[in-house]
Amino acid sequence: MAMRLRFHALAILLVISARHPSVAGGLCRDSCGDVPVRYPLGIDDGCGSPYYRNMLTCADNTTLRLRTPSGTYPVSGADYADPHLVVTDPSMWTCARPFTSIHAAPFSLDTSTRFSLSPRNDHLFFNCDEDRVIVAPRPAICDRYPDRCDSACDSAGYLCRNLPGCRGALEEGNMSCCAYRPRAAESLRTMLRHCEAYTTVYWRAMGDKFPPYDQEPDYGVRVDFEIPVTTRCLQCQDRRRGANGTCGFDPVTRDFVCICDGGRNSTTDCADGRVTGHGASAGVVAATVVFSVSAAIGIGGLVMYIRKLRSSKVVTCGVQSNENRFF
């Protein structure tokens, strides 16, 4: 009985300590390989904004990947001043490898998320069936009635003649090329059913040049994202006040949490001195649940044990009443 009592008391101490969890230092990784990971993005649960929760992964701490309905794709770059990611689709054709027919699902995004396909993307399709696809320069009617030109593919596109890394390569071969700007992922899939391969080129900003030479084409899919700006996050990151925190959220409640140095959590910022256990990492929260369940069982067992002990003990002095009972 004494051993059981000590075990239940230990369980109570565990649940008391677990009710004030803290995040271990270095919870929020700020990079994956060579790609920086900053607010609002995060690769650890509870880091960044909950809008982007579980959408990015870091494979072996070297490769950042974006989850989408069409697959999981490597992320080759991130820009937070002009918020966007550059995603690589391995099924896309590039000049770096010989041309082969690839019938794969084109890259697509979930429109319910805060990610969106950038208008700076251009999609190129190769060797399309001209009985199914209108392979011709963009008709003038498209400027006036764009909804009538879903099947029009501009064979005189600039990018077809100036593919990144192999300018003029298609003019010497037997490949046909046309440029297309779809309005939705479904039109991309429709095009690919009637074309042998595709690639996506985005226009990369060149900061040291003037328009129209301040952009150049490069392979990849530009995915734009939003940066939610909140007063609490600005206070958390305000280095002038000595805050130096990282904006995060509670994985259970999704409430804002300012993650401070050493893994401490604060509901406001790291400079106010009011640190709470609110917003622990998913692992810590899971441990809290386990400890809570164990402690609940322990407390229940302790109560039953003491009741049994009291009921079997003979009262030799005084009257056993509600006033002098332990329970």
Side-chain angles (χ1 to χ4, degrees), residues 37 50-51 64 76 126 151 160-161 167 177 190 217 246-247 285-286 290 294-295:
V37 179
Y51 293 132
L64 186 66
S76 59
F126 304 100
S151 59
C160 286
R161 302 188 304 271
R167 180 176 296 181
C177 170
T190 301
T246 301
C247 299
V285 171
V290 172
S294 300

Short mmCIF file of all heavy atoms in Angstrom, two decimals, residues 37 50-51 64 76 126 151 160-161 167 177 190 217 246-247 285-286 290 294-295:
data_model
loop_
_atom_site.label_atom_id
_atom_site.label_comp_id
_atom_site.label_asym_id
_atom_site.label_seq_id
_atom_site.Cartn_x
_atom_site.Cartn_y
_atom_site.Cartn_z
N VAL A 37 13.74 30.12 -43.44
CA VAL A 37 12.35 29.89 -43.03
C VAL A 37 12.03 30.89 -41.94
O VAL A 37 12.57 30.83 -40.84
CB VAL A 37 12.14 28.45 -42.51
CG1 VAL A 37 10.70 28.24 -42.07
CG2 VAL A 37 12.52 27.44 -43.58
N PRO A 50 -0.48 29.99 -38.08
CA PRO A 50 -1.29 28.78 -38.25
C PRO A 50 -1.89 28.65 -39.64
O PRO A 50 -2.31 27.56 -40.02
CB PRO A 50 -2.38 28.91 -37.17
CG PRO A 50 -2.43 30.37 -36.84
CD PRO A 50 -1.04 30.88 -37.02
N TYR A 51 -1.92 29.76 -40.42
CA TYR A 51 -2.43 29.69 -41.79
C TYR A 51 -1.59 28.75 -42.65
O TYR A 51 -2.07 28.21 -43.64
CB TYR A 51 -2.44 31.07 -42.43
CG TYR A 51 -3.43 32.03 -41.81
CD1 TYR A 51 -3.05 33.32 -41.47
CD2 TYR A 51 -4.75 31.66 -41.58
CE1 TYR A 51 -3.95 34.21 -40.91
CE2 TYR A 51 -5.65 32.53 -41.01
CZ TYR A 51 -5.25 33.81 -40.68
OH TYR A 51 -6.13 34.69 -40.12
N LEU A 64 13.78 21.70 -48.30
CA LEU A 64 12.46 22.24 -47.95
C LEU A 64 11.46 21.82 -49.01
O LEU A 64 11.73 21.92 -50.22
CB LEU A 64 12.53 23.77 -47.87
CG LEU A 64 11.28 24.49 -47.38
CD1 LEU A 64 10.99 24.15 -45.93
CD2 LEU A 64 11.43 26.00 -47.54
N SER A 76 13.21 25.74 -53.90
CA SER A 76 14.60 26.12 -54.18
C SER A 76 14.95 27.51 -53.66
O SER A 76 16.12 27.86 -53.59
CB SER A 76 14.88 26.06 -55.68
OG SER A 76 14.00 26.92 -56.39
N PHE A 126 4.81 21.49 -75.02
CA PHE A 126 5.60 21.02 -76.15
C PHE A 126 4.87 19.90 -76.89
O PHE A 126 4.24 19.04 -76.28
CB PHE A 126 6.96 20.51 -75.66
CG PHE A 126 7.72 21.53 -74.86
CD1 PHE A 126 7.74 21.48 -73.49
CD2 PHE A 126 8.40 22.57 -75.50
CE1 PHE A 126 8.44 22.42 -72.74
CE2 PHE A 126 9.10 23.52 -74.76
CZ PHE A 126 9.12 23.45 -73.38
N SER A 151 -8.46 27.60 -74.93
CA SER A 151 -7.72 26.60 -75.71
C SER A 151 -6.69 27.22 -76.65
O SER A 151 -6.03 26.51 -77.39
CB SER A 151 -8.70 25.74 -76.53
OG SER A 151 -9.45 26.57 -77.41
N CYS A 160 9.31 30.65 -75.94
CA CYS A 160 9.60 29.49 -76.78
C CYS A 160 10.87 29.72 -77.60
O CYS A 160 11.59 28.77 -77.92
CB CYS A 160 8.42 29.20 -77.71
SG CYS A 160 6.99 28.46 -76.88
N ARG A 161 11.14 30.95 -77.94
CA ARG A 161 12.35 31.27 -78.69
C ARG A 161 13.53 31.58 -77.78
O ARG A 161 14.67 31.59 -78.23
CB ARG A 161 12.11 32.48 -79.61
CG ARG A 161 10.97 32.27 -80.60
CD ARG A 161 10.91 33.41 -81.60
NE ARG A 161 10.79 34.72 -80.95
CZ ARG A 161 9.63 35.29 -80.64
NH1 ARG A 161 8.50 34.65 -80.91
NH2 ARG A 161 9.59 36.47 -80.06
N ARG A 167 18.69 29.14 -75.50
CA ARG A 167 18.01 30.04 -76.43
C ARG A 167 18.13 29.53 -77.87
O ARG A 167 19.21 29.19 -78.34
CB ARG A 167 18.62 31.43 -76.33
CG ARG A 167 17.98 32.46 -77.26
CD ARG A 167 18.56 33.82 -77.03
NE ARG A 167 18.26 34.31 -75.69
CZ ARG A 167 18.65 35.51 -75.24
NH1 ARG A 167 19.37 36.30 -76.02
NH2 ARG A 167 18.34 35.87 -74.02
N CYS A 177 6.42 24.33 -79.71
CA CYS A 177 6.29 24.94 -78.38
C CYS A 177 5.23 26.02 -78.44
O CYS A 177 5.11 26.74 -79.44
CB CYS A 177 7.64 25.53 -77.96
SG CYS A 177 7.59 26.58 -76.48
N THR A 190 -5.96 19.93 -68.62
CA THR A 190 -6.54 19.71 -69.95
C THR A 190 -5.49 19.86 -71.03
O THR A 190 -5.42 19.06 -71.97
CB THR A 190 -7.69 20.70 -70.19
OG1 THR A 190 -8.68 20.53 -69.17
CG2 THR A 190 -8.32 20.49 -71.56
N PRO A 217 13.81 35.40 -67.27
CA PRO A 217 13.10 34.14 -67.05
C PRO A 217 14.00 33.07 -66.43
O PRO A 217 15.20 33.02 -66.68
CB PRO A 217 12.67 33.74 -68.46
CG PRO A 217 13.69 34.37 -69.36
CD PRO A 217 14.11 35.65 -68.69
N THR A 246 10.17 35.14 -31.39
CA THR A 246 9.73 34.53 -32.63
C THR A 246 8.23 34.31 -32.56
O THR A 246 7.73 33.75 -31.58
CB THR A 246 10.43 33.17 -32.85
OG1 THR A 246 11.85 33.37 -32.88
CG2 THR A 246 9.98 32.53 -34.15
N CYS A 247 7.51 34.76 -33.58
CA CYS A 247 6.05 34.64 -33.59
C CYS A 247 5.66 33.18 -33.85
O CYS A 247 6.14 32.56 -34.80
CB CYS A 247 5.45 35.54 -34.66
SG CYS A 247 5.79 37.29 -34.41
N VAL A 285 2.86 19.26 -25.56
CA VAL A 285 1.43 19.15 -25.29
C VAL A 285 1.02 17.69 -25.20
O VAL A 285 0.25 17.30 -24.33
CB VAL A 285 0.63 19.86 -26.40
CG1 VAL A 285 -0.85 19.57 -26.25
CG2 VAL A 285 0.86 21.36 -26.32
N ALA A 286 1.57 16.86 -26.10
CA ALA A 286 1.25 15.43 -26.04
C ALA A 286 1.72 14.84 -24.73
O ALA A 286 1.03 14.03 -24.11
CB ALA A 286 1.91 14.71 -27.21
N VAL A 290 -0.42 12.95 -21.74
CA VAL A 290 -0.09 11.65 -21.17
C VAL A 290 0.05 11.74 -19.67
O VAL A 290 -0.49 10.94 -18.92
CB VAL A 290 1.21 11.11 -21.81
CG1 VAL A 290 1.67 9.85 -21.07
CG2 VAL A 290 1.00 10.83 -23.27
N SER A 294 -2.23 10.01 -16.78
CA SER A 294 -1.62 9.18 -15.74
C SER A 294 -1.92 9.74 -14.36
O SER A 294 -2.23 9.00 -13.43
CB SER A 294 -0.11 9.11 -15.96
OG SER A 294 0.18 8.56 -17.21
N ALA A 295 -1.83 11.07 -14.23
CA ALA A 295 -2.07 11.69 -12.94
C ALA A 295 -3.53 11.55 -12.52
O ALA A 295 -3.84 11.36 -11.35
CB ALA A 295 -1.66 13.15 -12.97
#
